[in-house]
Amino acid sequence: MDREADASSQLSPDGERAAKRRRISASPTHPPREVGLMRNLPGDKFPSFVGSASGIHFIRSVYGSVRQPQPSSGAQARTPEKDIVPGEDDYLSSEVPGATRRLWKDDEVATAPVFHLDCQDLIGWSSSYFTNWHPPYPFLHAPTVLGLFEKLQQNGVPPADTHDNFEMITVRSIMSTSLADRRQSQICSEPRIPNVLVFETYDQAIGSLQRALSRPASVCSLQAALSVQVFLVSMLRLNAASRLGGLIIRMALQLGLHRCPNRFPSFSSQDRELRQRLFWSIYCIDRLICQSMGLPLSLRDDDIDVCYPSEERHQTPCSPSDTRLRCLEFLARHSEIRGHIMELRNKSIKHSQKETDEAVAITARLTRWWNDVEDFADSEPLVLSTYHRTVLTILYHESMISLNRPILALNRSGSAYDAALQHCLGSSRFIITTLYEMLSQTDRAAQQSSAITLLWPSFTWGVWMSTFIVFHAAHSKQISHRTMARLTERSSRILLHVSRRGSVWPDACASAIQHLRAHLLHGRASDGSEGHTPQSSSYAVPLETQIPDHVGQVTAGAPTVSRDESTRLRVNMLPTNTRHRSWRQDISTAPGAPNMTRSTPSPPNDAGVKEAWNTNFGHDGDTSESGVDPFAGFDIPFWLGQDEYAGLVNEWS
């Protein structure tokens, strides 16, 4: 209450304040754009921020434009809220206490005491990691890991209280990642992996690195921390992986990994190659996490002078590069382009790049990267596996979406919006179709060793974002509802397959997709026409006037209110002297249910309110699509450099 009073006392008179809001929202120097979300509403356990690079603005906008169905009286499906993106494990603790829950089933691990380990068993248990994860992230020296296996065969597993044994942490991370991989491939492993070789909980995985905070940084400790981070990323525990990434990056900088090792003759050739591989693995994983969570870049390109494996600039003559490192190089180059996209589209207004040619330059670089990938795949068909070629292909289309999706935050008119929508829609269809075809091939070859599994961590984010683009296109009548139904059904099947890994996010995303899909199809059936938006007495409030989550929330998505309730909330954006009553007073008298249905009101008699009514809703309360545009407006205006509107956020939050 004191904060609200202080904010109100510092603001200008209400009339001037509302006039400024209207000028800012229509100002050409501050066009509508994607913004992040600062969570600090009553009822939240802790404040947090998720940036627009994660797609949170677009997700909230689609939730706001697609009207939500009423939840059934039966069991409610676990669906991610509109304000959460896949990977935010911090928001799972209330529903799924995954940090302390046992990760493995009884039929997956052996709990009996281990008296002898066979090296061939260790190689078999870890084969999935070295087949799928080591080529893109080769931060480990495979012969050294094989030596660790031989040591375990000779000496057995060290005591559990040996927390500073970084070699054992690396082994446990490898085995835990491989064990999760086998859930998706459905390949039984006999004998079962001893539980002393895997992490029983996420807390145990992160807690094993406690000594790394006080011990001097070393390559061995950094490899152990990075192997744990790969395991967390593979399980979509991105908040935890991001915090661990802070430790990893500081250790890497202290070791000087951001400087090209070929500049220093004191390193041996093997050390130079390992340091190079270690740095680019850290770089790629960090960029993946930053984009998925919408966080600022942790590693800046202008602080790095490490050469790519095939383009050594600091050594003459250059030794021929190992072609097996080309997968890492392609990922590193893509991660650099990913960072440029984030800098272009997701920086704050004050520091964002305004050159229109920058987007064209990034598109050219992305296309050149993709041409290089195809050329290498054609010339060296045996180096990149089918799985890794598919990963690179999906990454290309994910970047096309990240580059063009922010344009959809503009008004729905003009050639730029049309082109961006078609680019996003084409890439979305390709992602869904490609992964669905891979899934179909996997089902047909489930008992074969050549079966391809969908292990890459960004597949969930890519399918999730692609499906919301399909929803947006169907709601905007750019594609038919039949096409939407087919693509979203494929998305659900992909996510259900990925959910076999044990992460809660794919299953939750599939449930949310099914809810939105059923609602859109129900709206079409009730209306009796293709693509026509059904009339309803209840719809989601646009983002700039969203009701705080603590008031009430539909499990499958955004909270809904009745038409007159949302009208009253929009009118409340006017100066105080034109309001009939305050927003908080109305909320205090409203029912506690998220859907507060009332009779549709008539346009008010007050001239100022009636003018705003017609502006926002059309004449006589018409709620056509042109009157309700969820992409127009902002949800955290102070992030856009408009600090004078911070009081607006405090007023309704």
Side-chain angles (χ1 to χ4, degrees):
M1 296 295 294
D2 294 338
R3 183 177 59 182
E4 293 175 6
D6 292 341
S8 300
S9 63
Q10 295 174 3
L11 292 176
S12 57
D14 294 331
E16 181 180 356
R17 181 175 60 184
K20 284 184 178 180
R21 289 185 201 137
R22 289 192 293 269
R23 287 199 301 269
I24 289 292
S25 62
S27 172
T29 60
H30 296 284
R33 67 194 298 266
E34 285 193 344
V35 291
L37 175 65
M38 181 68 75
R39 305 188 187 94
N40 193 16
L41 296 175
D44 285 352
K45 292 183 297 183
F46 40 78
S48 62
F49 174 78
V50 56
S52 59
S54 65
I56 184 66
H57 181 93
F58 184 77
I59 292 172
R60 285 162 54 87
S61 299
V62 173
Y63 265 123
S65 60
V66 177
R67 302 169 184 175
Q68 294 298 295
Q70 293 295 324
S72 60
S73 58
Q76 296 179 351
R78 294 183 305 174
T79 59
E81 302 172 2
K82 67 182 185 306
D83 293 344
I84 299 178
V85 295
E88 290 192 275
D89 49 288
D90 289 345
Y91 284 83
L92 291 178
S93 56
S94 60
E95 180 182 353
V96 182
T100 57
R101 187 184 58 180
R102 187 166 176 262
L103 294 175
W104 316 111
K105 301 176 182 178
D106 292 336
D107 58 351
E108 292 177 321
V109 295
T111 58
V114 179
F115 300 101
H116 177 74
L117 289 174
D118 186 82
C119 186
Q120 293 301 318
D121 289 337
L122 294 171
I123 294 175
W125 290 329
S126 62
S127 61
S128 178
Y129 177 89
F130 286 101
T131 300
N132 298 303
W133 298 97
H134 184 66
Y137 301 136
F139 59 91
L140 296 175
H141 187 232
T144 301
V145 176
L146 185 60
L148 293 178
F149 291 165
E150 294 175 350
K151 187 186 299 185
L152 288 174
Q153 178 177 320
Q154 296 173 0
N155 304 328
V157 180
D161 57 353
T162 309
H163 297 292
D164 57 347
N165 190 341
F166 295 116
E167 293 178 346
M168 198 61 204
I169 294 174
T170 302
V171 171
R172 286 192 175 99
S173 300
I174 293 173
M175 296 300 178
S176 298
T177 306
S178 296
L179 182 56
D181 290 349
R182 280 197 288 273
R183 287 176 167 178
Q184 290 182 253
S185 61
Q186 294 184 317
I187 297 177
C188 297
S189 176
E190 293 292 344
R192 293 176 296 174
I193 299 180
N195 62 342
V196 295
L197 294 180
V198 297
F199 293 120
E200 291 287 344
T201 63
Y202 293 117
D203 278 353
Q204 186 184 64
I206 300 173
S208 65
L209 296 169
Q210 182 178 359
R211 293 292 181 92
L213 293 171
S214 57
R215 298 295 180 89
S218 65
V219 171
C220 184
S221 62
L222 185 57
Q223 287 175 319
L226 191 56
S227 64
V228 173
Q229 188 186 39
V230 169
F231 170 62
L232 294 175
V233 169
S234 73
M235 302 300 290
L236 293 182
R237 309 292 295 196
L238 298 186
N239 284 125
S242 176
R243 289 188 286 269
L244 180 57
L247 170 65
I248 291 173
I249 290 175
R250 286 302 160 188
M251 293 173 64
L253 295 177
Q254 292 175 6
L255 290 172
L257 294 183
H258 61 300
R259 299 302 184 195
C260 185
N262 288 297
R263 297 172 54 191
F264 308 99
S266 58
F267 295 119
S268 64
S269 59
Q270 180 177 332
D271 290 339
R272 287 196 294 267
E273 180 183 308
L274 182 59
R275 289 172 68 92
Q276 188 182 61
R277 289 158 48 179
L278 186 55
F279 173 78
W280 286 122
S281 299
I282 295 172
Y283 180 87
C284 294
I285 296 174
D286 178 71
R287 289 292 169 93
L288 185 150
I289 295 175
C290 289
Q291 188 272 326
S292 300
M293 308 302 294
L295 301 176
L297 301 180
S298 304
L299 289 169
R300 308 279 303 183
D301 292 331
D302 51 9
D303 294 327
I304 299 168
D305 68 348
V306 183
C307 301
Y308 292 119
S310 66
E311 291 185 2
E312 179 56 55
R313 304 186 306 271
H314 301 107
Q315 186 182 32
T316 305
C318 298
S319 58
S321 61
D322 191 344
T323 56
R324 293 174 298 179
L325 297 179
R326 292 305 299 274
C327 184
L328 171 65
E329 180 173 340
F330 285 134
L331 281 177
R333 291 180 181 274
H334 174 267
S335 298
E336 182 181 3
I337 299 173
R338 189 202 300 262
H340 291 319
I341 294 174
M342 294 175 62
E343 293 287 287
L344 174 67
R345 299 300 193 194
N346 308 113
K347 296 286 282 188
S348 62
I349 288 274
K350 183 184 299 184
H351 302 286
S352 63
Q353 305 177 27
K354 298 179 174 60
E355 293 82 0
T356 56
D357 294 339
E358 184 67 20
V360 179
I362 293 176
T363 303
R365 293 188 60 184
L366 182 61
T367 305
R368 179 181 177 181
W369 173 83
W370 175 240
N371 290 334
D372 291 341
V373 171
E374 288 192 314
D375 180 68
F376 181 79
D378 291 339
S379 60
E380 301 286 346
L382 300 180
V383 176
L384 290 176
S385 65
T386 302
Y387 168 71
H388 293 119
R389 287 200 301 268
T390 303
V391 168
L392 295 175
T393 304
I394 298 301
L395 289 178
Y396 167 75
H397 288 281
E398 286 181 1
S399 296
M400 290 296 296
I401 291 176
S402 298
L403 181 62
N404 291 279
R405 187 200 64 240
I407 303 177
L408 302 183
L410 303 174
N411 294 327
R412 303 186 186 186
S413 61
S415 57
Y417 173 87
D418 295 338
L421 178 59
Q422 295 305 318
H423 281 304
C424 290
L425 184 58
S427 293
S428 300
R429 296 183 64 154
F430 187 91
I431 290 174
I432 296 173
T433 302
T434 300
L435 295 182
Y436 180 78
E437 291 176 352
M438 285 186 61
L439 181 61
S440 301
Q441 296 172 6
T442 302
D443 290 342
R444 290 193 296 267
Q447 304 302 324
Q448 301 178 10
S449 59
S450 59
I452 300 175
T453 52
L454 309 181
L455 306 175
W456 196 252
S458 70
F459 282 172
T460 298
W461 182 90
V463 173
W464 175 248
M465 188 58 56
S466 298
T467 308
F468 269 75
I469 290 173
V470 170
F471 282 140
H472 172 64
H475 186 69
S476 303
K477 306 176 185 178
Q478 298 294 322
I479 61 174
S480 65
H481 280 68
R482 180 177 301 176
T483 301
M484 179 272 295
R486 182 178 70 253
L487 292 175
T488 53
E489 184 63 30
R490 292 180 175 181
S491 298
S492 299
R493 185 178 175 188
I494 295 169
L495 292 172
L496 290 176
H497 169 79
V498 178
S499 67
R500 296 175 182 173
R501 188 174 191 86
S503 173
V504 68
W505 288 108
D507 190 21
C509 292
S511 299
I513 288 173
Q514 290 292 343
H515 276 73
L516 291 173
R517 174 180 178 270
H519 180 68
L520 280 174
L521 294 179
H522 173 74
R524 174 197 172 195
S526 62
D527 182 74
S529 61
E530 178 69 32
H532 180 69
T533 303
Q535 296 296 327
S536 174
S537 60
S538 177
Y539 58 89
V541 181
L543 298 183
E544 64 269 26
T545 56
Q546 202 90 36
I547 294 180
D549 294 343
H550 71 284
V551 175
Q553 193 168 14
V554 176
T555 303
T560 59
V561 296
S562 62
R563 176 178 300 181
D564 66 317
E565 191 72 11
S566 110
T567 301
R568 178 171 49 73
L569 291 176
R570 278 185 171 270
V571 170
N572 194 55
M573 301 293 289
L574 292 171
T576 304
N577 56 4
T578 62
R579 300 175 187 171
H580 288 277
R581 49 186 174 173
S582 68
W583 182 85
R584 290 189 177 274
Q585 180 182 356
D586 288 336
I587 289 297
S588 64
T589 59
N595 192 30
M596 299 172 284
T597 306
R598 298 180 184 176
S599 59
T600 303
S602 302
N605 296 325
D606 183 89
V609 179
K610 186 173 183 179
E611 178 183 359
W613 181 295
N614 293 332
T615 300
N616 290 325
F617 292 92
H619 296 288
D620 297 330
D622 179 27
T623 56
S624 61
E625 185 177 347
S626 60
V628 181
D629 186 1
F631 288 91
F634 47 85
D635 49 1
I636 48 171
F638 53 85
W639 180 247
L640 300 180
Q642 303 167 12
D643 294 336
E644 64 268 31
Y645 295 98
L648 172 64
V649 178
N650 292 331
E651 182 180 5
W652 61 260
S653 63

mmCIF file of all heavy atoms in Angstrom, residues 263-284:
data_model
loop_
_atom_site.group_PDB
_atom_site.id
_atom_site.type_symbol
_atom_site.label_atom_id
_atom_site.label_comp_id
_atom_site.label_asym_id
_atom_site.label_seq_id
_atom_site.Cartn_x
_atom_site.Cartn_y
_atom_site.Cartn_z
ATOM 1 N N ARG A 263 47.938 -19.209 -29.275
ATOM 2 C CA ARG A 263 48.779 -18.037 -29.070
ATOM 3 C C ARG A 263 49.847 -18.270 -28.016
ATOM 4 O O ARG A 263 50.769 -17.467 -27.869
ATOM 5 C CB ARG A 263 47.908 -16.841 -28.659
ATOM 6 C CG ARG A 263 46.897 -16.390 -29.693
ATOM 7 C CD ARG A 263 45.962 -15.335 -29.118
ATOM 8 N NE ARG A 263 46.703 -14.217 -28.540
ATOM 9 C CZ ARG A 263 46.145 -13.264 -27.797
ATOM 10 N NH1 ARG A 263 44.850 -13.317 -27.525
ATOM 11 N NH2 ARG A 263 46.873 -12.278 -27.315
ATOM 12 N N PHE A 264 49.724 -19.367 -27.259
ATOM 13 C CA PHE A 264 50.616 -19.598 -26.126
ATOM 14 C C PHE A 264 51.374 -20.905 -26.354
ATOM 15 O O PHE A 264 50.787 -21.990 -26.335
ATOM 16 C CB PHE A 264 49.818 -19.658 -24.830
ATOM 17 C CG PHE A 264 48.904 -18.473 -24.641
ATOM 18 C CD1 PHE A 264 47.549 -18.558 -24.957
ATOM 19 C CD2 PHE A 264 49.396 -17.270 -24.171
ATOM 20 C CE1 PHE A 264 46.710 -17.468 -24.800
ATOM 21 C CE2 PHE A 264 48.567 -16.171 -24.007
ATOM 22 C CZ PHE A 264 47.220 -16.267 -24.330
ATOM 23 N N PRO A 265 52.682 -20.822 -26.566
ATOM 24 C CA PRO A 265 53.463 -22.030 -26.883
ATOM 25 C C PRO A 265 53.620 -22.984 -25.710
ATOM 26 O O PRO A 265 54.081 -24.117 -25.900
ATOM 27 C CB PRO A 265 54.813 -21.457 -27.314
ATOM 28 C CG PRO A 265 54.905 -20.131 -26.632
ATOM 29 C CD PRO A 265 53.498 -19.611 -26.563
ATOM 30 N N SER A 266 53.242 -22.576 -24.494
ATOM 31 C CA SER A 266 53.428 -23.445 -23.332
ATOM 32 C C SER A 266 52.476 -24.634 -23.334
ATOM 33 O O SER A 266 52.734 -25.631 -22.645
ATOM 34 C CB SER A 266 53.242 -22.649 -22.040
ATOM 35 O OG SER A 266 51.950 -22.052 -21.995
ATOM 36 N N PHE A 267 51.388 -24.559 -24.077
ATOM 37 C CA PHE A 267 50.428 -25.659 -24.138
ATOM 38 C C PHE A 267 50.866 -26.678 -25.186
ATOM 39 O O PHE A 267 51.340 -26.311 -26.273
ATOM 40 C CB PHE A 267 49.024 -25.153 -24.476
ATOM 41 C CG PHE A 267 48.426 -24.256 -23.432
ATOM 42 C CD1 PHE A 267 48.080 -22.953 -23.732
ATOM 43 C CD2 PHE A 267 48.216 -24.707 -22.135
ATOM 44 C CE1 PHE A 267 47.534 -22.120 -22.781
ATOM 45 C CE2 PHE A 267 47.665 -23.884 -21.175
ATOM 46 C CZ PHE A 267 47.331 -22.585 -21.494
ATOM 47 N N SER A 268 50.661 -27.937 -24.877
ATOM 48 C CA SER A 268 50.912 -28.995 -25.861
ATOM 49 C C SER A 268 49.797 -28.998 -26.898
ATOM 50 O O SER A 268 48.740 -28.377 -26.710
ATOM 51 C CB SER A 268 50.997 -30.354 -25.163
ATOM 52 O OG SER A 268 49.748 -30.690 -24.568
ATOM 53 N N SER A 269 50.001 -29.704 -27.973
ATOM 54 C CA SER A 269 48.983 -29.755 -29.027
ATOM 55 C C SER A 269 47.693 -30.380 -28.522
ATOM 56 O O SER A 269 46.587 -29.949 -28.870
ATOM 57 C CB SER A 269 49.521 -30.541 -30.234
ATOM 58 O OG SER A 269 49.874 -31.858 -29.847
ATOM 59 N N GLN A 270 47.806 -31.405 -27.650
ATOM 60 C CA GLN A 270 46.606 -32.029 -27.092
ATOM 61 C C GLN A 270 45.882 -31.070 -26.160
ATOM 62 O O GLN A 270 44.648 -30.994 -26.178
ATOM 63 C CB GLN A 270 46.983 -33.308 -26.360
ATOM 64 C CG GLN A 270 45.802 -34.034 -25.733
ATOM 65 C CD GLN A 270 46.210 -35.343 -25.079
ATOM 66 O OE1 GLN A 270 47.185 -35.973 -25.477
ATOM 67 N NE2 GLN A 270 45.458 -35.749 -24.063
ATOM 68 N N ASP A 271 46.622 -30.306 -25.349
ATOM 69 C CA ASP A 271 46.002 -29.333 -24.457
ATOM 70 C C ASP A 271 45.322 -28.218 -25.241
ATOM 71 O O ASP A 271 44.229 -27.754 -24.859
ATOM 72 C CB ASP A 271 47.047 -28.741 -23.516
ATOM 73 C CG ASP A 271 47.537 -29.747 -22.484
ATOM 74 O OD1 ASP A 271 46.806 -30.724 -22.240
ATOM 75 O OD2 ASP A 271 48.645 -29.561 -21.946
ATOM 76 N N ARG A 272 45.948 -27.778 -26.322
ATOM 77 C CA ARG A 272 45.349 -26.707 -27.128
ATOM 78 C C ARG A 272 44.021 -27.162 -27.726
ATOM 79 O O ARG A 272 43.038 -26.416 -27.714
ATOM 80 C CB ARG A 272 46.319 -26.277 -28.232
ATOM 81 C CG ARG A 272 47.500 -25.468 -27.728
ATOM 82 C CD ARG A 272 48.198 -24.756 -28.880
ATOM 83 N NE ARG A 272 48.817 -25.700 -29.802
ATOM 84 C CZ ARG A 272 50.085 -26.114 -29.722
ATOM 85 N NH1 ARG A 272 50.864 -25.670 -28.743
ATOM 86 N NH2 ARG A 272 50.587 -26.958 -30.608
ATOM 87 N N GLU A 273 44.005 -28.372 -28.243
ATOM 88 C CA GLU A 273 42.753 -28.870 -28.837
ATOM 89 C C GLU A 273 41.672 -29.035 -27.780
ATOM 90 O O GLU A 273 40.507 -28.686 -28.002
ATOM 91 C CB GLU A 273 43.010 -30.202 -29.553
ATOM 92 C CG GLU A 273 41.749 -30.780 -30.188
ATOM 93 C CD GLU A 273 42.002 -32.127 -30.837
ATOM 94 O OE1 GLU A 273 42.947 -32.226 -31.650
ATOM 95 O OE2 GLU A 273 41.242 -33.070 -30.527
ATOM 96 N N LEU A 274 42.030 -29.552 -26.613
ATOM 97 C CA LEU A 274 41.040 -29.766 -25.563
ATOM 98 C C LEU A 274 40.496 -28.434 -25.050
ATOM 99 O O LEU A 274 39.286 -28.300 -24.807
ATOM 100 C CB LEU A 274 41.654 -30.568 -24.418
ATOM 101 C CG LEU A 274 40.709 -30.910 -23.261
ATOM 102 C CD1 LEU A 274 39.521 -31.732 -23.762
ATOM 103 C CD2 LEU A 274 41.454 -31.656 -22.161
ATOM 104 N N ARG A 275 41.357 -27.440 -24.863
ATOM 105 C CA ARG A 275 40.893 -26.143 -24.395
ATOM 106 C C ARG A 275 39.961 -25.501 -25.415
ATOM 107 O O ARG A 275 38.965 -24.862 -25.059
ATOM 108 C CB ARG A 275 42.096 -25.233 -24.131
ATOM 109 C CG ARG A 275 42.901 -25.618 -22.917
ATOM 110 C CD ARG A 275 44.180 -24.798 -22.812
ATOM 111 N NE ARG A 275 43.897 -23.408 -22.514
ATOM 112 C CZ ARG A 275 43.834 -22.895 -21.286
ATOM 113 N NH1 ARG A 275 44.026 -23.670 -20.235
ATOM 114 N NH2 ARG A 275 43.579 -21.609 -21.104
ATOM 115 N N GLN A 276 40.280 -25.668 -26.683
ATOM 116 C CA GLN A 276 39.411 -25.123 -27.733
ATOM 117 C C GLN A 276 38.051 -25.803 -27.728
ATOM 118 O O GLN A 276 36.999 -25.148 -27.792
ATOM 119 C CB GLN A 276 40.100 -25.294 -29.087
ATOM 120 C CG GLN A 276 39.405 -24.608 -30.247
ATOM 121 C CD GLN A 276 40.137 -24.871 -31.557
ATOM 122 O OE1 GLN A 276 40.273 -26.026 -31.982
ATOM 123 N NE2 GLN A 276 40.639 -23.818 -32.180
ATOM 124 N N ARG A 277 38.044 -27.120 -27.632
ATOM 125 C CA ARG A 277 36.784 -27.860 -27.598
ATOM 126 C C ARG A 277 35.986 -27.523 -26.348
ATOM 127 O O ARG A 277 34.741 -27.407 -26.394
ATOM 128 C CB ARG A 277 37.077 -29.361 -27.650
ATOM 129 C CG ARG A 277 37.573 -29.847 -28.986
ATOM 130 C CD ARG A 277 38.338 -31.158 -28.885
ATOM 131 N NE ARG A 277 37.659 -32.170 -28.094
ATOM 132 C CZ ARG A 277 38.140 -33.398 -27.889
ATOM 133 N NH1 ARG A 277 39.304 -33.744 -28.410
ATOM 134 N NH2 ARG A 277 37.461 -34.260 -27.167
ATOM 135 N N LEU A 278 36.680 -27.368 -25.234
ATOM 136 C CA LEU A 278 36.003 -27.055 -23.976
ATOM 137 C C LEU A 278 35.338 -25.691 -24.031
ATOM 138 O O LEU A 278 34.183 -25.518 -23.614
ATOM 139 C CB LEU A 278 37.016 -27.121 -22.831
ATOM 140 C CG LEU A 278 36.508 -26.963 -21.394
ATOM 141 C CD1 LEU A 278 35.419 -27.981 -21.092
ATOM 142 C CD2 LEU A 278 37.665 -27.114 -20.419
ATOM 143 N N PHE A 279 36.047 -24.708 -24.584
ATOM 144 C CA PHE A 279 35.460 -23.365 -24.634
ATOM 145 C C PHE A 279 34.241 -23.320 -25.541
ATOM 146 O O PHE A 279 33.189 -22.770 -25.163
ATOM 147 C CB PHE A 279 36.484 -22.341 -25.115
ATOM 148 C CG PHE A 279 35.870 -20.987 -25.341
ATOM 149 C CD1 PHE A 279 35.597 -20.147 -24.278
ATOM 150 C CD2 PHE A 279 35.507 -20.572 -26.621
ATOM 151 C CE1 PHE A 279 34.996 -18.910 -24.480
ATOM 152 C CE2 PHE A 279 34.906 -19.342 -26.830
ATOM 153 C CZ PHE A 279 34.654 -18.509 -25.759
ATOM 154 N N TRP A 280 34.342 -23.869 -26.746
ATOM 155 C CA TRP A 280 33.207 -23.766 -27.665
ATOM 156 C C TRP A 280 32.006 -24.561 -27.168
ATOM 157 O O TRP A 280 30.857 -24.205 -27.455
ATOM 158 C CB TRP A 280 33.609 -24.224 -29.059
ATOM 159 C CG TRP A 280 34.478 -23.241 -29.787
ATOM 160 C CD1 TRP A 280 35.724 -23.441 -30.294
ATOM 161 C CD2 TRP A 280 34.149 -21.868 -30.092
ATOM 162 N NE1 TRP A 280 36.199 -22.300 -30.893
ATOM 163 C CE2 TRP A 280 35.252 -21.318 -30.783
ATOM 164 C CE3 TRP A 280 33.052 -21.061 -29.840
ATOM 165 C CZ2 TRP A 280 35.265 -19.992 -31.233
ATOM 166 C CZ3 TRP A 280 33.067 -19.752 -30.270
ATOM 167 C CH2 TRP A 280 34.156 -19.224 -30.964
ATOM 168 N N SER A 281 32.228 -25.620 -26.408
ATOM 169 C CA SER A 281 31.100 -26.338 -25.802
ATOM 170 C C SER A 281 30.398 -25.455 -24.775
ATOM 171 O O SER A 281 29.161 -25.385 -24.737
ATOM 172 C CB SER A 281 31.589 -27.631 -25.140
ATOM 173 O OG SER A 281 32.184 -28.505 -26.080
ATOM 174 N N ILE A 282 31.190 -24.768 -23.937
ATOM 175 C CA ILE A 282 30.609 -23.837 -22.965
ATOM 176 C C ILE A 282 29.843 -22.733 -23.679
ATOM 177 O O ILE A 282 28.723 -22.359 -23.272
ATOM 178 C CB ILE A 282 31.723 -23.246 -22.082
ATOM 179 C CG1 ILE A 282 32.360 -24.338 -21.235
ATOM 180 C CG2 ILE A 282 31.186 -22.126 -21.198
ATOM 181 C CD1 ILE A 282 33.592 -23.892 -20.483
ATOM 182 N N TYR A 283 30.402 -22.218 -24.734
ATOM 183 C CA TYR A 283 29.794 -21.122 -25.500
ATOM 184 C C TYR A 283 28.438 -21.547 -26.073
ATOM 185 O O TYR A 283 27.441 -20.821 -25.957
ATOM 186 C CB TYR A 283 30.765 -20.729 -26.606
ATOM 187 C CG TYR A 283 30.316 -19.600 -27.502
ATOM 188 C CD1 TYR A 283 30.559 -18.273 -27.159
ATOM 189 C CD2 TYR A 283 29.688 -19.857 -28.719
ATOM 190 C CE1 TYR A 283 30.171 -17.237 -27.993
ATOM 191 C CE2 TYR A 283 29.297 -18.841 -29.557
ATOM 192 C CZ TYR A 283 29.543 -17.526 -29.193
ATOM 193 O OH TYR A 283 29.160 -16.507 -30.024
ATOM 194 N N CYS A 284 28.398 -22.727 -26.677
ATOM 195 C CA CYS A 284 27.152 -23.192 -27.311
ATOM 196 C C CYS A 284 26.063 -23.452 -26.279
ATOM 197 O O CYS A 284 24.895 -23.078 -26.486
ATOM 198 C CB CYS A 284 27.422 -24.452 -28.125
ATOM 199 S SG CYS A 284 28.505 -24.224 -29.549
#
